[in-house]
Amino acid sequence: MLLLSPRDCTVVLRKFSRLTVGVSIAIALFAGLVYLFAWSSIFSVSWVSVSGSPTADSKKIITKLIDIPVGEKLARVEPRAISARIKSIAWVKSVDISRHWLSGHVEIKISPRIPSAYFNGSTIDESGKVFQLPGFSGADLPTVTAAHPKIGLAAIALFQSLPDSFRSQVTSLSAHDTSNFLLHISIDGRDVQIVWGKNEKTALKIQVIEALIVLPENKNIRRIDISAPHAPIVK
């Protein structure tokens, strides 16, 4: 059995006392920090900003969805939960949420999907994602009809490969598959259907179309099959 001298007991008691004081201070500091961040009005939301929404209607949707009132404790604002709600919107590609503790600013940056074309009544981006973008209309984009987004992307690639002078005449595109494209172009206010076929020999096909259109006997044409550019069919 170990016996301590009165002097040793005094030393042990002093050390224990210091340890107890240290633990008490740590607990008090922790409790103070919890109160400071979770309950006091010092670290609270002073304002919320939303950037990156491509239209006024889409910004309204984001603002309503995040539901962060001014005065809310910053510690209670959960970026992961808010981010998950925002990412559930089809036209949102990514989102970044920051809490600025000193200013009370909650900053929300949206990276939207960029429409490449009107697709089957919606819009489609370069990755093939189909979505509805609130408030988006009237943009100078092709109208594409296809059975599948992958085929729609192939039609968009064809449209983007056309020279500006010809592309400006294209009003819509459709495709049954990636080797059978159909274009509609506007000539003097008249709709002309172009059976394009495969996405190949673009320069030659456009040259043949332009040559056919200026012929007097073709002033009322409605359809040009240019899938075989060396043997076009006009109706």
Side-chain angles (χ1 to χ4, degrees):
M1 182 176 178
L2 180 63
L3 297 176
L4 297 176
S5 66
R7 183 178 179 181
D8 290 336
C9 289
T10 301
V11 172
V12 169
L13 288 174
R14 285 177 179 175
K15 290 183 177 180
F16 180 75
S17 177
R18 285 197 294 268
L19 178 63
T20 302
V21 171
V23 171
S24 299
I25 292 174
I27 293 174
L29 287 173
F30 178 76
L33 289 174
V34 170
Y35 173 79
L36 186 65
F37 283 95
W39 299 102
S40 77
S41 60
I42 296 176
F43 295 107
S44 60
V45 177
S46 59
W47 61 294
V48 180
S49 68
V50 177
S51 62
S53 297
T55 65
D57 288 345
S58 63
K59 185 173 183 178
K60 288 179 182 178
I61 290 174
I62 294 295
T63 302
K64 183 177 180 180
L65 184 65
I66 59 178
D67 189 27
I68 303 176
V70 172
E72 176 72 292
K73 305 300 181 291
L74 274 170
R76 299 181 185 180
V77 175
E78 300 180 10
R80 288 187 180 180
I82 297 171
S83 178
R85 292 201 300 270
I86 294 175
K87 286 181 180 178
S88 67
I89 301 174
W91 58 263
V92 174
K93 186 175 182 180
S94 63
V95 59
D96 180 68
I97 301 175
S98 302
R99 293 176 295 180
H100 301 278
W101 293 93
L102 295 180
S103 65
H105 177 201
V106 178
E107 186 178 15
I108 299 174
K109 296 181 179 179
I110 305 293
S111 295
R113 297 185 181 277
I114 307 301
S116 296
Y118 296 107
F119 178 76
N120 293 353
S122 298
T123 47
I124 186 172
D125 71 355
E126 61 182 8
S127 73
K129 177 69 175 181
V130 180
F131 57 97
Q132 290 278 1
L133 181 54
F136 180 82
S137 64
D140 187 18
L141 297 175
T143 299
V144 175
T145 304
H148 190 275
K150 182 179 179 180
I151 302 175
L153 288 178
I156 294 170
L158 168 59
F159 176 81
Q160 293 174 340
S161 70
L162 298 172
D164 291 343
S165 57
F166 186 81
R167 185 169 57 197
S168 63
Q169 301 177 68
V170 177
T171 57
S172 65
L173 302 86
S174 61
H176 296 292
D177 53 53
T178 56
S179 61
N180 188 7
F181 297 101
L182 182 68
L183 282 64
H184 285 264
I185 65 174
S186 178
I187 301 175
D188 297 328
R190 186 175 75 256
D191 177 69
V192 178
Q193 188 181 72
I194 307 293
V195 179
W196 192 269
K198 295 182 179 180
N199 184 8
E200 61 182 12
K201 302 177 181 178
T202 297
L204 176 60
K205 289 180 179 181
I206 293 176
Q207 183 180 359
V208 173
I209 291 170
E210 292 176 343
L212 290 171
I213 288 172
V214 298
L215 294 176
E217 61 268 30
N218 291 333
K219 64 179 181 179
N220 293 318
I221 60 172
R222 293 291 181 180
R223 178 183 172 94
I224 302 174
D225 188 335
I226 202 71
S227 55
H230 294 288
I233 301 171
V234 177
K235 292 183 181 180

